[in-house]
Amino acid sequence: MNVLKLSPEELIKYCYQCGRCTGICPLGEISFYSPRILIHNALMGKPVDPQRLAQCSTCDLCSSKCPMDVMISEFVREERHKLRQSGMILEEAHFGIFSTLARLMAKKTWKANLNDYFPKEIQFSDTSEILIFTGCMSLFETYFEYKYTNIAKSAVKILNHLKIKPQILKEQVCCGHDLFWGGDYENFRLLGEQNIELIERNGVELVITICPECYRTFKLDYPRYVRNYNFKVISFSEFLDLELKEGTLIFPYEIPRTITYQDPCRLGRQLGVYDAPRNVLKAIPGIKLKEMERSREDAICCGVSAWMNCNLYSKAIRMDRLLEAQQIADTLITNCPHCLIHFNCLKNEYAETEKKYTLEILDFKEFIAKALLLG
Amino acid sequence: MLEVAEHPLIELITNADLLDVLGYIGNFDVTIRKNPRFVDESKCTGCEACVHVCPVYAPNKFDVGLGYRKAIYRPFDQAVPNAVLIDPEKCIECHLCVRECEPKAITFDQKPEIRTLNVGTIIVASGFQTYNPIGEFGYGKFANVITQVELERLLAPNGPTTGEVIRPSDHTEPKKIVMIQCVGSRNLQNNLHCSGGVCCMVAIKNATLLKQHIEYADITICFMDIRAAGKGYEEYFLQSRKNGIKYLRGNIANIKEDPETKDLIIRVEDTLSQDIIDLQANLVVLSTAMEPASSTEEISKILRLEKSADGFLKEFHARLDPINTKIPGIYLAGAVQGPKSIAESVAAGKAAASSAAIPMIKKVHEIIKLEAIIDPERCSGCGLCINICPYQAISLEDNIAKIDTILCRGCGMCAAICPSHAATLRAYRDTMLENYIDALLSEF
C-alpha cells in the first residue's frame, strides 16, 4: 500500500470517485456515511463535516479496496488533527476519560499504578532483553467491569511457561494510539518520546506488545512521527507462532470447542498479521477453527477506535458481527482489548433480554493461557 | 490474411520465433526459428480427417479454453495456411492420424529449422494480451464470472456454443448480466494505465449484441468513466442506452455467490445517486485491460527497442511519429505500441507499411551527419561507451571504439561518459560550445 509515499492530502487527489470505499464501508451500509463524499468535499475545498470525521472507525477496509491506494483513514486522522488545531473539540465516548488520562501521562502529571496488578507467582527480571509492553489494561479495568489486567497477566504467565522472564516497566505510559487517531499529535509525540527513551534506557532488545494498537503505533507511527529507535517490536501472537515453529510451545490438553477469530483492524489489514494467531489456535488439540464469511482482509471491525464514535451505528456493526460469529461458533476469540471491550459491552447490554448472545467472547492471550491451564 | 498468403511477392512464415536481429536499415540479418508443425503445409488440404480420429483432447486456445480441440488441430476456421498442426506437448504419438491422412502430409520427423533472412525493413506487430483477472472479483472462484473475451467467444457463431450465450455453471440462458469495467487497469496495484477506451467500446458492443441475443436481458454496466472517444463511438453509446442497457457509475465493492443458484450478488455504490445497491446477476462479465503481450519483453531486447512506462514498445515520438522507432528501418504496427481499437490498428498497420515502403522504393536512407566521432589517439578502449549507447552503434576494433555511422543518432551519451574525452559530437564539440558561450557573454 501507499507505493508513492505521498501524504494523505496528496493521495486524495488520486481519487477516481469510483465509490468502492463507500460500497464496502460497514458504516455506509447502515448510515449516510460515505468516505467518497468526504474526499470529494475535501477536493472541492468545502469544509469537512466534523460529525462525519468522528464517525469513521479508521478500520482501513476502504483503503484496502481502493484502486488508487488512497489512505482514507490517514486522511481522516489528518483532518481531525486540523480540526483540533483550529480549536474544535471532537466528542469522545466515556466523557473522554481515556484521552484525558493519556494527556495527563503525556504531561507527566499522573501515572498508572501497575504495582498491584501482578501477583508474586509471576516472574519478572529487571535485566531481561525482552520487554512486555502491557498497554492500558489497568486503566480499562478501573473503568469497565471486565478483568482486563488478566490479559496482561496471562501473557506474562505464558512467557513464564516458555521459561522466559520478561522485563516490565512500571513507568511505561500509554502508547498514544488513541490521541494520535483523535488528531492530538502534540501529546502523542510526548508519549512516544517517553516510551522510546524509557525502553532504550533499560537495554531492551525486543518489545512484545499484547495490544494490536500498541503494535501498530510502535511499528508504523513512532518511526514516522516521533523518532527511530533501536529495538525490535513484535506482537504477542507472532511471538507465539515463532515459539510454536521452534517446538517450545506445546499444547498438551484437549479443548473441544468451536471457535472463530476476529481480525482486529490494526493487526490484520494494517500490519498483515493474519496467520500467526490462527496457527497458534489451530495447534490446540480439539479446537475447531471456523472462519466467518468476512474474515482476514475483509474482516469488519468492532465499530469503534480511538474512543471517537460510539453510537447507534457502531452498535449496529457490532450486532451484525456478533450474529455472524454466533452462527458458526460458540466462542469468539479476539486479539484486541478494544474489540473485547466493545463486544462485551454489547453482550452485557442484551444479557437479560430475549435477544441475548450465547457465544463467549475471549481474548486470545487469556484463551491460550487457559489452554495451557495457567489460569 | 488469405490475400497475403497468396501474394506472389510475400513469403509467409508461420509458427516461428524471432531469435536475433543484426545490422541496420537496408541490411538487417534476421534469424528465425521455424518450429515444426509435424505436418507438411504444401501437402495438407485441411480436410480434418486426422482431427476426427485423434483421441487426445485439449483446451481450445482460440476459444480461451471454453471449448476443446484435439492434439492435431486447425487453430481456427480462417487459419492461414489452411493446414493442421500437431501440439507436441499433447500428442501421444499413436499415429492414428498418419494412417488416416490421404495426401501423406503428417511427418513426425520435422525438426526446428533455423533460417537467416536478409531484409531491408522490419515491421513489429506482435500485439497485446488481455489481463488475467484470476482472484479478482471472484474470477476463477465463482463459475459465473467470465471475461469479455470469453463472452465474445460465447457470442460468436463459430464459438464453442455456436453463438448461444449460456452461463458456465448450469448452461442456462442468463437474464441479468452485470459488466464490470476497468479490471486490471487504472489502479496503482498492477496497472495505472487506461486501455485507451477499448474495453469501454467492447463492453458496449457486447452488451448490444447480448441484447439482440437475449430479448429480455437486463444488462448493467458498472463503470468509472465511459471513454467513447472516436468516430461514431458516442452515437453507439447513445444507441446502447436507447436499447435499454443500464449504466451505473460505481466500482464494485464486493462480490458474493449464492451457493444454491450460483447467482452473484454485487455490492456497489451508485455514486450518482449515492445509494448502496446489491445487484443480483446471473452472469458477471469483467472488462479486462489490454496489456503488453508476454513476447514484448523478448522482442524489445532482440530488436534493441525501448519500452514505454506502460510496458508497450516505445515509438520515436508519441505525437508526431508514432510509427517509427528509434532504430531506422524498424516500424510499429497495431497494439504492440499501445492499446488500440481495430480502426486504429488498421490505420497503424497501413501507416507502417507506407513508412517501410518509402526507403525500400527510394533505395536511399538519408542520415543527418550529427554523429559521434572517436579520437583514436585518446581512446583507451575502456568500453564504457559501448554499454551506454542506446543504439548499439559502438563496437571495439583493435581496442579502439568504432562508431557505426548509420546506427548513430548523435544523442551524445558516449561523449558525456567518455573519461578521456575521446568521444565528441561532430557538430557539438566542446571548443565549439565554449566559443558559443564566449560569444553570448561578450555581448554583456
Side-chain angles (χ1 to χ4, degrees), chain A residues 17-257:
Chain A
Q17 292 286 309
C18 72
R20 258 182 132 167
C21 45
T22 308
I24 199 75
C25 180
L27 271 169
E29 196 178 336
I30 48 176
S31 71
F32 291 108
Y33 183 78
S34 167
R36 183 180 64 80
I37 302 282
L38 204 68
I39 289 175
H40 179 72
N41 286 348
L43 287 170
M44 292 294 122
K46 289 185 203 166
V48 184
D49 183 0
Q51 272 194 325
R52 292 216 155 181
L53 272 184
Q55 238 181 324
C56 175
S57 71
T58 63
C59 75
D60 252 343
L61 191 58
C62 44
S63 315
S64 72
K65 292 274 172 184
C66 179
M68 298 308 279
D69 290 345
V70 177
M71 301 300 288
I72 298 164
S73 57
E74 292 194 9
F75 166 73
V76 165
R77 192 190 63 209
E78 293 284 336
E79 288 297 316
R80 285 177 184 172
H81 175 57
K82 276 186 205 159
L83 275 186
R84 210 173 273 280
Q85 276 186 323
S86 68
M88 195 149 201
I89 294 166
L90 292 165
E91 200 188 324
E92 282 173 30
H94 312 296
F95 314 104
I97 180 166
F98 295 106
S99 320
T100 310
L101 289 177
R103 276 185 201 107
L104 289 176
M105 281 194 238
K107 299 272 172 6
K108 295 186 183 173
T109 46
W110 178 83
K111 200 157 58 91
N113 186 5
L114 287 170
N115 283 327
D116 304 339
Y117 292 106
F118 294 100
K120 274 177 191 151
E121 68 263 23
I122 295 180
Q123 293 167 330
F124 293 109
S125 153
D126 286 342
T127 51
S128 174
E129 288 175 346
I130 295 177
L131 171 86
I132 189 142
F133 192 85
T134 55
C136 302
M137 307 296 169
S138 59
L139 299 188
F140 300 157
E141 185 165 317
T142 43
Y143 194 87
F144 300 106
E145 276 173 21
Y146 191 85
K147 286 270 174 213
Y148 286 97
T149 47
N150 260 345
I151 298 170
K153 277 181 218 164
S154 306
V156 186
K157 276 180 193 164
I158 296 165
L159 287 183
N160 284 170
H161 173 77
L162 295 168
K163 307 213 166 31
I164 296 163
K165 283 183 196 171
Q167 203 177 141
I168 189 158
L169 296 171
K170 298 271 162 64
E171 303 92 78
Q172 70 175 34
V173 290
C174 168
C175 67
H177 172 277
D178 296 338
L179 290 185
F180 184 56
W181 287 89
D184 190 347
Y185 289 9
E186 190 191 335
N187 287 313
F188 164 71
R189 286 201 181 93
L190 290 175
L191 288 170
E193 277 291 342
Q194 280 187 53
N195 273 329
I196 294 174
E197 199 267 331
L198 186 70
I199 293 167
E200 280 183 348
R201 181 152 47 92
N202 281 283
V204 174
E205 300 267 310
L206 181 70
V207 175
I208 303 176
T209 62
I210 57 172
C211 169
E213 297 194 341
C214 300
Y215 187 39
R216 191 217 135 96
T217 310
F218 269 88
K219 200 149 191 184
L220 299 181
D221 300 327
Y222 279 177
R224 238 174 105 188
Y225 292 90
V226 185
R227 71 177 166 93
N228 280 319
Y229 47 78
N230 55 16
F231 50 85
K232 277 185 195 154
V233 186
I234 193 168
S235 74
F236 194 76
S237 36
E238 278 174 299
F239 185 79
L240 282 193
D241 190 30
L242 289 176
E243 293 287 325
L244 193 72
K245 276 175 191 153
E246 279 179 20
T248 42
L249 177 66
I250 299 158
F251 295 100
Y253 312 110
E254 191 167 323
I255 299 178
R257 255 193 205 213

Side-chain angles (χ1 to χ4, degrees), chain A residues 146 150 153-155 157-158 251-255 257 284 287 331 333 360-375:
Chain A
Y146 191 85
N150 260 345
K153 277 181 218 164
S154 306
K157 276 180 193 164
I158 296 165
F251 295 100
Y253 312 110
E254 191 167 323
I255 299 178
R257 255 193 205 213
I284 304 171
I287 284 287
T331 311
I333 306 287
E360 200 175 349
I361 306 156
L362 284 175
D363 186 83
F364 175 75
K365 275 112 349 200
E366 280 186 291
F367 188 73
I368 299 292
K370 271 187 189 164
L372 293 165
L373 301 188
L374 296 173

